[in-house]
């Protein structure tokens, strides 16, 4: 008959701990990898939106390029951002700009707001109607709060919602082809 | 070709028009069908291009946002087109992004088909026929950026069915057209063939019956009309000619009859004349014969007594009386000779002269006659040259032969010129005859004299000369030679002389 001893018990406990820790570690690794992939796709989405949205006339007259701005915390890898900035859209070279706490978003066409509920985020959303900004965020409830496009994940696939009212305020015309892909289109009456 | 050549014109026309109709229709139908096939393919490709254009436009967003569900939903709209069996969107990495297939297309085929398509299209934006399918590749481009490819497979079966249906209709039309062409051409062909056939029948009829009074009838001024008119004109001319010929024939016949009548009358007249002439001649001969005979008897008495007077009373007669008696005897002898000759002639003409043919030595006879004539020749100063020295036997009557020779020789001497000559020779002998030529050197005879030479009592102007003669010696000579089976011919050159050639039958033994 096998006889349990305290040292044995301790050993078993230690083993379990090790296994658990290992599991925890690996799972965090997976989560981390998933996160990178998701933001890579989201970065591509930012660029692709430009293909289905028309800015008002005269927007690009003095523009040195098509500017995608990132306000607040930057969740994107440098690699994906530099690869995006190699492309052209609306016959213009894409360039990426970080927005600091001053919140100057003039010259931006697309603004990714990582924290829309912050002061900076709210400021940018408010200046939307003057600066014809396509505001994008992956914060839940962004469209309800006056943002134009909200990204979210379903079954590990990135999907988006569109607030038409906000788009209209920003004077942006969104292609029906894009709208047909949107999971939800809000008229944004609650704003 | 020979078979075609002997066909009646009507059938030729029918076959010709049917051949033309069929070939034209066949060509037109074939051309139309080819155009149809070409157009069908073009239309199909163009339709597929449109569909591909719209679909790829609508799929751009789905591709950009990696939304396979949306892309698949987009492709589902192909459902509206029954011909499209399969459609697929390939991403940039040649991975199937979304696909559509209808119930005909088995899910199992997909991978195989996809591989085929991709291998079929190295470069996109073109179409190709793949079995009974039309394949189309369309590059999905957004903002100058290639996002992937759209492949569409459309079945051509429906189109082929429709084409077969159209071909069937075309064949039906062709068949109907052939029937109509046959009916029309046989109906219309008779317009052309009937007048020609009736004309040819008429020609055959005219040829068989030699009846030129018939006329061909055809209205219209076409070639057949012209032909008919020409034929009728020819018939008319033939008829006229025939009439003329008949008329000439009639005229000729009556002419011949008239001439025959005249001729028979003339013949009758001539026969009558001949008969009367013969009668007259016979009467003359008879008269001459009788008269000569009657004249000879007193003549003999006169001569006999005159000779007695001269013989017996020669011494008692003086010179003047003797001269008169001699004159009587001379003139009596001449008259007796004349009477004898007339008697001979009448005997010859009445055919009562007996000729006894025997073998005669011609050379000897000539010699005797030459001797007899030598006195006369000497008197007339004519040289006799006898070159007939070769012995020659002939069949003749000796007495008459001598008479003939003497007559010819004496003529040659009497009508010769002073100091002339008479040459007797044997001339060419052909066909067994013996020829004797007697050539003088007299004044000769002209054509007119020659033609009268053998007429009785014709002396050719010698009657006014001192030369004595009766004018019937030559006639008798020729008749005698002829009775002995020979002949006398005369050749004369005026101013140079005359040659008498006498032919004799050579003695057979």
């Amino acid at each position: 008959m096998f006889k349990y001893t305290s040292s044995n018990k301790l050993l078993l406990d230690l083993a379990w701990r090790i296994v658990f820790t290992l599991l925890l570690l690996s799972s965090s690794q997976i989560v981390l990898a998933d996160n990178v992939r998701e933001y890579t796709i989201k970065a591509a989405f930012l660029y692709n939106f430009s293909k289905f949205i028309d800015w008002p006339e005269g927007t690009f007259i003095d523009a040195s390029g098509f500017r995608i701005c990132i306000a607040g915390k930057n969740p994107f890898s440098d690699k994906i951002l530099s690869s995006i900035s190699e492309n052209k859209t609306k016959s213009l070279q894409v360039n990426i700009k970080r927005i600091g706490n001053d919140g100057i978003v003039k010259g931006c066409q697309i603004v990714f707001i990582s924290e829309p509920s912050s002061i900076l985020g709210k400021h940018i959303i408010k200046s939307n109607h003057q600066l014809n900004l396509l505001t994008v965020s992956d914060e839940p409830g962004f469209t309800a709060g006056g943002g134009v496009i909200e990204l979210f994940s379903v079954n590990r696939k990135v999907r988006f919602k569109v607030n038409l009212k906000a788009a209209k305020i920003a004077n942006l015309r969104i292609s029906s082809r894009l709208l047909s892909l949107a999971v939800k289109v809000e008229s944004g009456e609650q704003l | 070709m020979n078979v075609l050549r002997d066909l009646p014109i009507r059938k030729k026309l029918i076959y010709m028009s049917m051949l033309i109709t069929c070939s034209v229709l066949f060509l037109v139908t074939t051309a139309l069908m080819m155009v149809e096939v070409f157009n069908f393919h073009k239309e199909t490709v163009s339709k597929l291009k449109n569909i591909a254009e719209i679909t790829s436009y609508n799929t751009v967003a789905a591709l950009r946002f990696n939304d396979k569900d949306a892309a698949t939903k987009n492709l589902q709209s192909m459902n509206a087109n029954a011909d499209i069996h399969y459609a697929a969107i390939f991403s940039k990495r040649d991975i199937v992004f979304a696909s559509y297939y209808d119930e005909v297309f088995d899910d199992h085929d997909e991978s195989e088909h996809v591989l085929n398509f991709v291998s079929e299209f190295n470069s996109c934006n073109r179409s190709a026929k793949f079995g009974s399918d039309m394949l189309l590749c369309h590059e999905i481009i957004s903002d100058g950026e290639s996002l992937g490819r759209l492949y569409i497979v459309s079945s051509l079966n429906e189109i082929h069915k429709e084409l077969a249906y159209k071909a069937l209709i075309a064949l039906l039309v062709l068949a109907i057209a052939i029937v109509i062409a046959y009916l029309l051409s046989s109906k219309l062909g008779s317009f052309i063939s009937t007048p020609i056939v009736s004309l040819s029948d008429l020609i055959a009829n005219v040829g068989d019956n030699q009846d030129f009074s018939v006329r061909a009838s055809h209205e219209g001024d076409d070639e057949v009309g012209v032909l008919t008119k020409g034929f009728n004109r020819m018939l008319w001319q033939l008829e006229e000619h025939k009439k003329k010929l008949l008329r000439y024939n009639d005229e000729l016949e009556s002419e011949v009859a008239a001439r025959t009548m005249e001729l028979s009358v003339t013949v009758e007249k001539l026969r009558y004349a001949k008969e009367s002439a013969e009668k007259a001649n016979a009467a003359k001969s008879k008269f001459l014969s009788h008269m000569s005979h009657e004249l000879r008897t007193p003549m003999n008495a006169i001569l006999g007594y005159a000779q007695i007077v001269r013989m017996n009373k020669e011494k008692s007669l003086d010179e003047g009386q003797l001269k008169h008696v001699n004159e009587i005897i001379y003139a009596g002898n001449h008259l007796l000779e004349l009477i004898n000759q007339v008697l001979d002639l009448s005997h010859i003409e009445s055919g009562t002269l007996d000729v006894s043919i025997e073998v005669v030595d011609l050379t000897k006879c000539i010699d005797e006659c030459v001797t007899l004539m030598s006195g006369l020749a000497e008197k007339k100063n004519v040289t006799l040259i006898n070159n007939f020295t070769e012995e020659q036997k002939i069949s003749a009557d000796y007495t008459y032969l001598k008479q003939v020779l003497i007559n010819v020789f004496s003529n040659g001497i009497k009508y010769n010129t002073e100091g002339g000559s008479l040459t007797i020779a044997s001339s060419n002998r052909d066909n067994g005859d013996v020829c004797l030529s007697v050539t003088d050197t007299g004044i000769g005879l002209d054509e007119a004299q020659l033609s009268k030479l053998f007429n009785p009592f014709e002396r050719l102007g010698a009657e006014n000369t001192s030369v004595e003669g009766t004018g019937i010696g030559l006639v008798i000579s020729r008749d005698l030679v002829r009775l002995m089976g020979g002949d006398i011919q005369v050749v004369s050159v005026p101013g140079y002389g005359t040659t008498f050639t006498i032919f004799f039958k050579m003695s057979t033994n």
Side-chain angles (χ1 to χ4, degrees), chain B residues 321-490:
Chain B
Q321 284 167 331
L322 186 66
K323 194 185 168 192
H324 288 151
V325 172
N326 277 339
E327 277 296 320
I328 290 168
I329 293 169
Y330 178 78
N333 273 327
H334 184 70
L335 191 59
L336 187 66
E337 191 194 346
L338 187 64
I339 289 164
N340 280 335
Q341 283 185 347
V342 170
L343 197 62
D344 282 348
L345 190 64
S346 62
H347 278 146
I348 289 166
E349 284 187 355
S350 62
T352 52
L353 191 79
D354 288 326
V355 182
S356 56
I357 302 293
E358 53 188 340
V359 177
V360 176
D361 186 346
L362 180 60
T363 321
K364 196 181 156 198
C365 191
I366 288 169
D367 279 347
E368 283 174 15
C369 292
V370 167
T371 310
L372 279 174
M373 286 296 119
S374 56
L376 183 65
E378 208 169 306
K379 201 173 145 194
K380 282 278 183 181
N381 196 19
V382 171
T383 317
L384 277 174
I385 305 160
N386 183 10
N387 290 332
F388 201 98
T389 50
E390 193 184 336
E391 193 183 21
Q392 189 69 50
K393 297 255 177 30
I394 56 165
S395 300
D397 182 306
Y398 183 79
T399 317
Y400 292 136
L401 173 62
K402 207 171 173 181
Q403 188 182 339
V404 168
L405 288 180
I406 285 169
N407 180 263
V408 172
F409 291 172
S410 67
N411 276 349
I413 294 162
K414 280 194 287 184
Y415 301 108
N416 215 320
T417 47
E418 184 76 23
S421 68
L422 185 73
T423 310
I424 300 153
S426 65
S427 71
N428 297 334
R429 302 166 182 206
D430 42 327
N431 63 350
D433 282 351
V434 178
C435 303
L436 168 69
S437 65
V438 180
T439 308
D440 64 38
T441 54
I443 54 165
L445 301 164
D446 60 26
E447 281 290 316
Q449 288 173 318
L450 279 176
S451 65
K452 291 175 183 173
L453 192 62
F454 291 103
N455 286 356
F457 309 109
E458 187 70 61
R459 295 201 58 203
L460 304 174
E463 54 266 33
N464 302 325
T465 63
S466 60
V467 182
E468 291 172 351
T470 57
I472 54 174
L474 261 180
V475 186
I476 291 168
S477 296
R478 192 187 62 177
D479 289 349
L480 285 174
V481 171
R482 282 183 178 172
L483 278 174
M484 290 185 286
D487 204 357
I488 295 179
Q489 282 176 2
V490 185

Side-chain angles (χ1 to χ4, degrees), chain B residues 173-192:
Chain B
V173 167
L174 197 66
I176 291 168
I178 287 168
V179 170
I180 289 172
Y182 178 79
L183 291 174
L184 276 178
S185 62
S186 61
K187 195 79 188 164
L188 291 174
S190 64
F191 272 118
I192 296 166

Side-chain angles (χ1 to χ4, degrees), chain B residues 1-17 19:
Chain B
M1 265 314 167
N2 280 351
V3 180
L4 261 180
R5 195 186 57 194
D6 294 338
L7 276 177
I9 285 177
R10 189 171 162 273
K11 289 218 166 144
K12 268 183 205 159
L13 284 171
I14 290 173
Y15 289 158
M16 214 165 69
S17 51
L19 191 70

Side-chain angles (χ1 to χ4, degrees), chain A residues 48 51-52 159 177-178 181, chain B residues 57 61 64-65 67 70 143:
Chain A
N48 281 330
K51 304 283 182 187
F52 301 96
R159 289 287 178 262
R177 289 190 284 164
L178 185 64
L181 296 180
Chain B
Y57 178 79
R64 280 202 181 276
F65 297 104
D67 194 337
D143 221 8

